[in-house]
Amino acid sequence: MDTATLSSCVAWLLAPASGAAEHHLPAWASWHGRLMVLAWAFLLPLGVLAARFFKVMPGQGWPDQLDNKVWWHAHRLLQSAGVAAMLAGLWLAWGRGSGANALTQWHHMLGLAVVALGLLQVLGGQLRGSKGGPTASEGLRGDHYDMTRHRRVFERLHKAAGYAALLLAAAVVVLGLRVADAPRWMWLAIGVWWCAWCMAFVALQRQGRCIDTYQAIWGDDPGHPGQHLPPIGPGIRRYDRDSFARRFGRPPS
């Protein structure tokens, strides 16, 4: 590729998607967009992958090795960072830029709905109930170990609201790119990242990596009370020792 062609490609990528000659935004709008994209296109979706597919880590000797908290720490860190970026982006845009055109108004309203869902997820996480189980310091009984109604409602709402927030956030990000008349490279970069995320999601799901939280923590012993209830959410797998070994190539021990 010669220098002129390279320069032309770079200029095309840097130009606004509308083809306008210039692209100017106030500083608050630029940083609002960066923070919201960081939160909802990158950090929070990565936190979802960690929670869905890495409750049992690759190479972990399940069910002899249980309750690996790598996924929990990754999920909590990524979601906390994502919510912090979201709130900072909200603060920058608060009271500004509601605009008169329909596109801006939709971005504004749906953006507030996404923020509300994000904050509800944080609140819901605090209401997940007690853990319990054989290794719990507070005693055997607990909302999660016993899979009480409180815990079952929490899991249904937390999972459904989380995926709904991601889908709605994707629409809000696209609207934001349109409102800002973002450069073409931003559209391409976010689109490629979302495609990579979706491909990783599908690949990990097909590998059977979406393992029930209950089994990841307490194993496959049928004596645990939660083993007699179906897992909550679509595509969640349960294993016994032998089926896990066949799926992931570990011989039964």
Side-chain angles (χ1 to χ4, degrees), residues 93-200:
W94 191 259
R96 307 185 193 184
S98 57
N101 68 74
L103 199 65
T104 303
Q105 290 177 354
W106 274 107
H107 176 71
H108 179 75
M109 291 185 296
L110 294 179
L112 288 177
V114 168
V115 168
L117 282 172
L119 293 177
L120 283 174
Q121 287 295 86
V122 174
L123 175 62
Q126 305 307 309
L127 300 175
R128 63 187 180 275
S130 58
K131 180 179 179 181
T135 60
S137 58
E138 67 270 20
L140 185 66
R141 303 273 70 85
D143 288 300
H144 196 182
Y145 183 67
D146 294 326
M147 286 303 287
T148 62
R149 184 175 182 273
H150 177 102
R151 178 70 193 195
R152 297 196 302 273
V153 169
F154 159 76
E155 288 202 16
R156 290 189 178 95
L157 292 178
H158 189 68
K159 293 173 182 178
Y163 288 112
L166 281 189
L167 290 173
L168 184 57
V172 173
V173 168
V174 170
L175 284 172
L177 292 172
R178 287 283 307 278
V179 168
D181 196 15
R184 295 183 178 105
W185 73 264
M186 291 185 184
W187 290 86
L188 289 172
I190 293 171
V192 168
W193 166 249
W194 279 345
C195 287
W197 187 91
C198 290
M199 289 170 64

Side-chain angles (χ1 to χ4, degrees), residues 47-71:
V48 169
L49 287 184
R52 184 172 179 88
F53 297 114
F54 293 97
K55 290 188 173 80
V56 174
M57 296 293 293
Q60 179 181 331
W62 187 93
D64 298 314
Q65 298 174 5
L66 298 172
D67 202 8
N68 188 321
K69 291 185 171 60
V70 170
W71 75 270

Side-chain angles (χ1 to χ4, degrees), residues 24-90:
H24 294 296
L25 284 177
W28 70 264
S30 295
W31 280 104
H32 165 76
R34 291 167 187 154
L35 288 166
M36 288 305 196
V37 168
L38 175 66
W40 286 104
F42 292 92
L43 294 173
L44 295 168
L46 284 174
V48 169
L49 287 184
R52 184 172 179 88
F53 297 114
F54 293 97
K55 290 188 173 80
V56 174
M57 296 293 293
Q60 179 181 331
W62 187 93
D64 298 314
Q65 298 174 5
L66 298 172
D67 202 8
N68 188 321
K69 291 185 171 60
V70 170
W71 75 270
W72 167 245
H73 295 308
H75 181 67
R76 184 172 57 176
L77 176 63
L78 288 163
Q79 305 312 87
S80 297
V83 169
M86 177 192 76
L87 291 176
L90 175 67

